[in-house]
Amino acid sequence: MLRDLADGARTLLRGFGFWRVDPGVMLLGLVPAAIVFAVLVWGLVALGIGLPGLVDWATPFADGWDEFWRNAFRALVAVVVFAAAAVLAFVTFTALTLIVGDPFYERIWKRVESHVGGEVPAEGPSFWSGVRGGLVLMLQGLVSAAAVAAVGFLPVVGGVAAAVLGAVLTGRILARELAARALDSRGLTFADRRALYRRHRWRLLGFGVATQLCFLVPLGAVATMPAAVAGATMLARRMLDEP
């Protein structure tokens, strides 16, 4: 398990290494990531500014409480809501960036496929297939955000448990979506993909969590996105090639 987790994380590093192979095509991948990142950061900042008033409005039942407990409860609610919004933003960023930047990331995918060698599909998945995948990813993000918010209200361990759960759920979703292009292009059925994901779940999780941690660095989401697409293509090829 630990070896597969580490191997998944190293695959992201190999994705960064693809800058040496074709810096031009990787540079193009920064453009859609920067646009979507700016929009989502603006949304999170607006949420953070308006959150205290929103929490006060949503918890009128706490108005009669002792000041200490009222403030502590509302602070907890604000933290949990913002954490859930951040989880949703992580997943939404990936989904929106893949949709907006589909032509750019298809070029990265094709270049990595050619570099890895072996059988290279003539055509990738259609644009609308990518849109459907993005919408599914957003729905999964909503479910994950709700789960993180619910766990955050657990006494004592809620904050830590929510952070760990958010990292695991988001990493799992990110890895699967980023690897989807290489799998869809080969016509794998839903059942085939699920079986593949089960066999390599720890490797996928290691790759996804490493990607998410890079997203936490200031501007890391923008810088990481091209490498994540390249690394996920390499990871998908390894999963497909292994018996």
Side-chain angles (χ1 to χ4, degrees):
M1 181 185 77
L2 293 178
R3 184 173 62 182
D4 286 342
L5 284 170
D7 184 64
R10 284 194 298 269
T11 306
L12 178 61
L13 294 178
R14 287 192 282 272
F16 277 107
F18 201 73
W19 277 95
R20 297 194 301 270
V21 178
D22 196 333
V25 73
M26 294 289 280
L27 190 63
L28 288 175
L30 297 176
V31 177
I35 295 171
V36 175
F37 179 80
V39 173
L40 290 179
V41 166
W42 177 86
L44 285 176
V45 169
L47 175 64
I49 293 173
L51 197 54
L54 181 62
V55 170
D56 290 348
W57 171 81
T59 57
F61 54 86
D63 289 342
W65 294 6
D66 179 79
E67 182 180 1
F68 172 80
W69 293 110
R70 180 176 66 248
N71 292 339
F73 173 74
R74 285 176 170 167
L76 175 62
V77 172
V79 169
V80 169
V81 170
F82 193 84
V87 169
L88 182 59
F90 279 128
V91 179
T92 303
F93 168 80
T94 304
L96 290 178
T97 303
L98 290 174
I99 293 173
V100 172
D102 182 72
F104 303 96
Y105 297 127
E106 184 172 7
R107 292 185 65 178
I108 295 176
W109 165 73
K110 286 183 176 179
R111 187 68 183 87
V112 173
E113 288 275 9
S114 299
H115 180 72
V116 173
E119 182 184 355
V120 179
E123 294 292 337
S126 67
F127 171 77
W128 293 111
S129 175
V131 171
R132 287 194 298 272
L135 292 176
V136 171
L137 182 60
M138 291 182 193
L139 179 60
Q140 292 174 330
L142 283 171
V143 174
S144 299
V148 170
V151 171
F153 285 107
L154 291 175
V156 184
V157 298
V160 175
V164 173
L165 180 64
V168 171
L169 291 179
T170 307
R172 181 171 173 266
I173 294 171
L174 287 178
R176 291 186 174 199
E177 182 58 27
L178 288 166
R181 183 183 294 274
L183 302 180
D184 288 345
S185 65
R186 289 168 169 82
L188 267 69
T189 65
F190 179 74
D192 290 338
R193 286 173 57 172
R194 287 192 63 183
L196 194 67
Y197 291 151
R198 281 198 300 270
R199 288 201 304 272
H200 301 278
R201 57 184 176 273
W202 297 114
R203 188 178 291 171
L204 280 164
L205 183 60
F207 178 84
V209 171
T211 302
Q212 184 192 7
L213 292 177
C214 289
F215 282 6
L216 293 174
V217 178
L219 296 179
V222 176
T224 302
M225 197 62 195
V229 173
T233 304
M234 298 175 189
L235 180 60
R237 286 293 300 269
R238 289 188 62 192
M239 293 191 299
L240 289 167
D241 292 343
E242 287 183 5

